Amino acid sequence: MKIDTFELERRQSLWENTVEYNLTESGIHPFTISELLDDSQVKQLLDLRLGYGQTNGSIELRESISKLYNNASLENVFTTNGSAEANFVSIWSNLKPTDELVLMLPNYMQIWGLARSFGVNVKPFHLKEDLNWQPNMDEVRNLMTPKTKMIAVCNPNNPTGSIMTKSNMEELIEIANESSAWILSDEVYRGAELDGKETTSFYGKYDKVIAVGGLSKAYSLPGLRMGWIVAPEDIAEKSWLYHDYTSISPGVLSQQISTWALEPSTRQKILSRNRKMLNENLSLFQNWLDKRKHLFDFIPQKAGAMSFVRYHFDMNSTVLTERLRKEKSLLIVAGDCFGMDNYLRLGIGSEKEYLLEGLQRLEEGLEEFVNA
Ligand SMILES: Cc1ncc(COP(=O)(O)O)c(C=O)c1O
């Protein structure tokens, strides 16, 4: 089996802990345990027995997750180690080498790389900047063949932060339905909308949907490694069967803390704190960009802590980000990681001072490297 390097994750894995300023994160400044839990919950954690727990996720946790979706009950929910594992299990258990997968690009490139390594024929369609990072639905329609088993989208999208319009969602469902194809919808940024209007899940809108979610992004809890699949019961069951071969179970500590994080009042507290941070940081970043309009084009994200900008100077994005890393100790994601040179993805979800200092390093780099 040949597998492509997952460029984005590889670069983060290699360098994120060695640079002084890491602006590659697509999530929002993580919570500490003491910011999240009260004393009695901490005490309960200290007394928690470290067994395996329920391997598909505790009943309480799956019930809380199911409430985030229309027409879902706990039997539709299957928990995983991060949404990365939910994507992995969904691709592994549902696609075989002769199948075709129609995939939204740009995207978190996990599904792209994974499906290709399994011998699936991956056929991309593209979000278009001139359509406000929406897809052209004719492009999707033209890719469909009798071999198309699945359409995979990332909504809200990484890296553009765009959200599919209602009419594009409806058309995608129509296209999938005509070919009886599955929709795999990675919705891990759902809940991180800047205007607070939660993105509609594909789950509950069509019977062949696998929705992927998790606590790493909108909830600022990536260290819990809590992800999930919401799908028809037989698919949730099948995921469990495959999951017995991967990590067996999410950790019991994570399951317990995740259950508390999803209690309605705590969930609201988390999402409001994050929305406030995101709006403040985005306006700060927008001010920074406004002074450099000759260098950058930017369609602000609708959700998530990543800002995807196009630049107008002549330098390859990998060369630029490597120089920034080595000479300015600043890590940002090159557009090349998404097959889109001349773009940069900046994580704006950190604390304000840190973000400002990171932008200052970028400024210095631009002055020195491109004389801008
Ligand atoms: C769209 C998308 N899906 C999945 C993941 C994996 O996240 P996690 O496994 O932490 O939930 C990421 C991480 O950046 C992502 O951007």
Side-chain angles (χ1 to χ4, degrees), residues 220-268:
S220 298
L221 297 167
L224 291 181
R225 309 303 305 124
M226 179 52 65
W228 58 78
I229 288 162
V230 181
E233 247 181 272
D234 56 335
I235 295 290
E237 279 284 324
K238 184 160 79 162
S239 304
W240 196 1
L241 184 95
Y242 277 68
H243 195 247
D244 289 344
Y245 282 97
T246 59
S247 60
I248 306 175
S249 165
V252 280
L253 279 169
S254 292
Q255 293 201 44
Q256 181 56 73
I257 298 174
S258 302
T259 307
W260 287 325
L262 288 174
E263 277 172 3
S265 64
T266 312
R267 178 173 183 268
Q268 270 327 310

Side-chain angles (χ1 to χ4, degrees), residues 9 26 81-85 87 107-108 110 154 158 186 188-189 216-217 225-226:
E9 284 298 338
S26 57
N81 281 284
S83 53
E85 192 179 47
N87 281 332
N107 204 325
Y108 182 62
Q110 182 196 8
C154 178
N158 175 2
D186 182 341
V188 72
Y189 294 93
S216 293
K217 309 298 178 184
R225 309 303 305 124
M226 179 52 65

Side-chain angles (χ1 to χ4, degrees), residues 18-38:
T18 67
V19 291
E20 287 168 22
Y21 291 92
N22 172 25
L23 298 189
T24 62
E25 279 302 324
S26 57
I28 308 152
H29 191 56
F31 283 97
T32 64
I33 292 180
S34 60
E35 284 165 351
L36 193 70
L37 304 184
D38 62 30

